[in-house]
Amino acid sequence: MFTTSLCYFCLLFLLNNSYCEEYNLYGEAGQAYALEINIGRPEQKLNVLVDTGSTTLAIASYARKDSNKYFRSENSTTIYNSGKEVQAKYSQGTWLGHLSSDIVKFPSLKLIPEVRCDIALITKSHKFFMNGSGWQGLLGLAYLPVGAWGENVVVGSWLDSVEKVLNKPMSFKLKLCGVQSLTNATHYGKFEMLDDSMPSSSNDVIFHTPILRKRWYEVGVLSVRMSKPLNKSVNASLKSFDNNLTIDESENHYRDTCIKLNQEKSIVDSGTTNIRLPDSIFREVVNELRRAAQTSNMLILDEFWYHGEAACWPEPQEWSLPSISIDLLSTNADNQYFTLEIPAQNFMRVITARNNSGEGGSVSEFCYKLGLEAGGKETVLGYTAMEGLQVLFNRSAGWIGWQPSNCGPKSRITGPHNFSMSLSLLCQLTKPVPDVAVSIKAAQWTLCAISIIAAAVLIYLLAPCIKMFFVRPLPRSQQISLSQAALVEQEAT
């Protein structure tokens, strides 16, 4: 199924273009993007989600009610089981398992060698695997230590193992194309690894946003709003933010918005479907979208807009809603940003596409869900915000690059735009921090210190036993001490 779909997409591109680009990501509606993986000896072929919101390579190792496809560890001759338990909790779902390591290879990544790396073998899960999903695990691509955890356990990542084998830092790029057509809910894309030391082969401008904290891919999201025409002034963002407000009022509104967006964290997460926003900002954006739909005479119930319910029609929809603009902090200067313009095709997500025309009275059905959701205090740019763009994750340099794509929805990037003051100060953004390797080394030293202290306590508790062992009586011919010799000498005198 996975390989067939890739060939299908390649054929379609060959018909419409002068070349065939190979795509290695695939997924059904709402199930993110999956990549084929080979594990162990002999190789077992499975599919894993590419997930920039976690670190661990986690694989199902048990049969589920809806799927009998999983990694059979007993059949691998190269597996090593540490015997240590690990677990993970996500925004949706949890799992338990144990830490192992084995040989891992991604067939579509031609230049990346097979490596031995840590694998969390999932033995039990709750609401983690989706019913009917075509994947059996996930490939965590974030920095350590975001992922599986256990008592005195540090779970390594596949990316770190690759960099260790190649002895150089590596970046990766996600090119997410969305659905193939209005009548097809299957989406596709491309995942590729890039050598940081090699110059970029793209002629397109790449807009860079800094990674503020090297755990998740945490960035500075300054605003999320409906797109409006920009005034070409220094305070363009303010004048376009709300035409009914004065500059001072707009600046205060903009500041309040970006502080809310980054209050907990703002991350780029390919393992999440929707754009997740703090509750109040979600309401603002969705209220405007709802009014725009009403103006266009679209009858859509509130359950769709506010409660995640699906809306269905007998024919595919071509949306005339405005785009959503997402302002991101730029690496160029602290008062600069650029804007992602996300079209309605992205956030009015097709989840069912049944075209039954001409099939004996059966009715066609095309169902959609809103690609926005309320998320408490955090902001997550799920793959809904990434489709139609190419997103480059440069882990060593600490930035994420955004550029146009030749596939998918017609997402746009505009900028850079200037602001009248420091955006880091205005939005109270977290300052960039040193590489996470420092934190990992600190954790390792901490574990070492704990081990030494535990050993010292154990020796102290066992001291009486040790003393009895070393001073137990010896045969009389060998039993002598300096005090006894002195006593003998005194008696002789």
Side-chain angles (χ1 to χ4, degrees), residues 91-113:
S91 56
Q92 178 178 331
T94 60
W95 56 256
L96 301 172
H98 56 268
L99 178 62
S100 300
S101 72
D102 210 334
I103 306 299
V104 170
K105 172 69 176 175
F106 292 93
S108 60
L109 305 179
K110 306 298 183 185
L111 301 180
I112 303 300

Side-chain angles (χ1 to χ4, degrees), residues 438-451:
V438 175
S439 300
I440 296 173
K441 288 184 181 296
Q444 292 172 338
W445 279 108
T446 301
L447 288 175
C448 180
I450 292 172
S451 300

Side-chain angles (χ1 to χ4, degrees), residues 169-182:
M170 300 292 290
S171 299
F172 63 92
K173 181 190 288 187
L174 291 176
K175 182 178 181 179
L176 307 183
C177 302
V179 297
Q180 176 61 32
S181 68
L182 294 175

Side-chain angles (χ1 to χ4, degrees), residues 231 233-240 247 251 418-421:
N231 187 312
S233 69
V234 172
N235 288 312
S237 62
L238 298 182
K239 292 187 177 181
S240 65
I247 293 295
E251 184 170 332
N418 293 320
F419 203 76
S420 59
M421 64 176 293

Side-chain angles (χ1 to χ4, degrees), residues 65-127:
K65 291 182 179 180
D66 63 313
S67 176
N68 197 38
K69 189 173 184 179
Y70 62 96
F71 179 65
R72 292 168 167 81
S73 57
E74 68 277 8
N75 294 342
S76 177
T77 60
T78 51
I79 194 167
Y80 168 76
N81 189 346
S82 72
K84 297 178 180 179
E85 293 187 352
V86 289
Q87 59 183 297
K89 182 177 181 180
Y90 302 85
S91 56
Q92 178 178 331
T94 60
W95 56 256
L96 301 172
H98 56 268
L99 178 62
S100 300
S101 72
D102 210 334
I103 306 299
V104 170
K105 172 69 176 175
F106 292 93
S108 60
L109 305 179
K110 306 298 183 185
L111 301 180
I112 303 300
E114 65 180 19
V115 297
R116 174 174 285 278
C117 69
D118 286 350
I119 304 174
L121 296 182
I122 301 173
T123 56
K124 185 179 180 181
S125 64
H126 177 67
K127 294 184 178 180

Side-chain angles (χ1 to χ4, degrees), residues 183-361:
T183 59
N184 189 340
T186 300
H187 50 246
Y188 68 105
K190 183 176 183 178
F191 171 75
E192 59 181 317
M193 297 289 294
L194 304 171
D195 186 343
D196 285 358
S197 63
M198 300 295 290
S200 173
S201 59
S202 173
N203 295 323
D204 292 321
V205 175
I206 301 178
F207 294 85
H208 298 148
T209 188
I211 298 170
L212 300 179
R213 288 208 313 169
K214 291 184 176 182
R215 294 187 65 193
W216 298 275
Y217 291 102
E218 186 170 341
V219 298
V221 179
L222 311 177
S223 172
V224 179
R225 64 188 190 280
M226 274 181 50
S227 297
K228 295 179 181 178
L230 286 176
N231 187 312
K232 302 293 186 179
S233 69
V234 172
N235 288 312
S237 62
L238 298 182
K239 292 187 177 181
S240 65
F241 194 79
D242 191 332
N243 293 328
N244 297 319
L245 300 179
T246 66
I247 293 295
D248 289 341
E249 289 173 334
S250 289
E251 184 170 332
N252 290 335
H253 192 184
Y254 196 86
R255 180 196 60 214
D256 293 344
T257 296
C258 66
I259 289 176
K260 288 178 183 177
L261 285 167
N262 300 281
Q263 183 174 354
E264 187 169 300
K265 63 178 181 292
S266 297
I267 64 172
V268 181
D269 182 8
S270 64
T272 295
T273 300
N274 293 335
I275 299 172
R276 187 178 302 151
L277 302 171
D279 296 345
S280 61
I281 298 175
F282 168 79
R283 280 275 173 180
E284 285 183 21
V285 174
V286 172
N287 286 346
E288 289 198 62
L289 284 173
R290 179 173 171 272
R291 285 194 292 269
Q294 291 174 337
T295 302
S296 301
N297 295 320
M298 296 181 191
L299 181 59
I300 305 177
L301 299 178
D302 284 353
E303 284 73 16
F304 172 87
W305 296 113
Y306 301 106
H307 303 293
E309 297 294 330
C312 301
W313 288 265
E315 64 281 326
Q317 300 296 297
E318 294 190 28
W319 305 102
S320 58
L321 294 170
S323 299
I324 288 176
S325 292
I326 302 174
D327 294 340
L328 296 177
L329 182 68
S330 174
T331 56
N332 294 342
D334 195 43
N335 69 329
Q336 284 191 351
Y337 68 96
F338 59 91
T339 302
L340 309 178
E341 294 186 6
I342 311 300
Q345 184 181 340
N346 286 46
F347 58 81
M348 303 295 279
R349 297 191 302 104
V350 57
I351 60 168
T352 303
R354 298 192 185 97
N355 192 355
N356 299 322
S357 56
E359 296 184 9

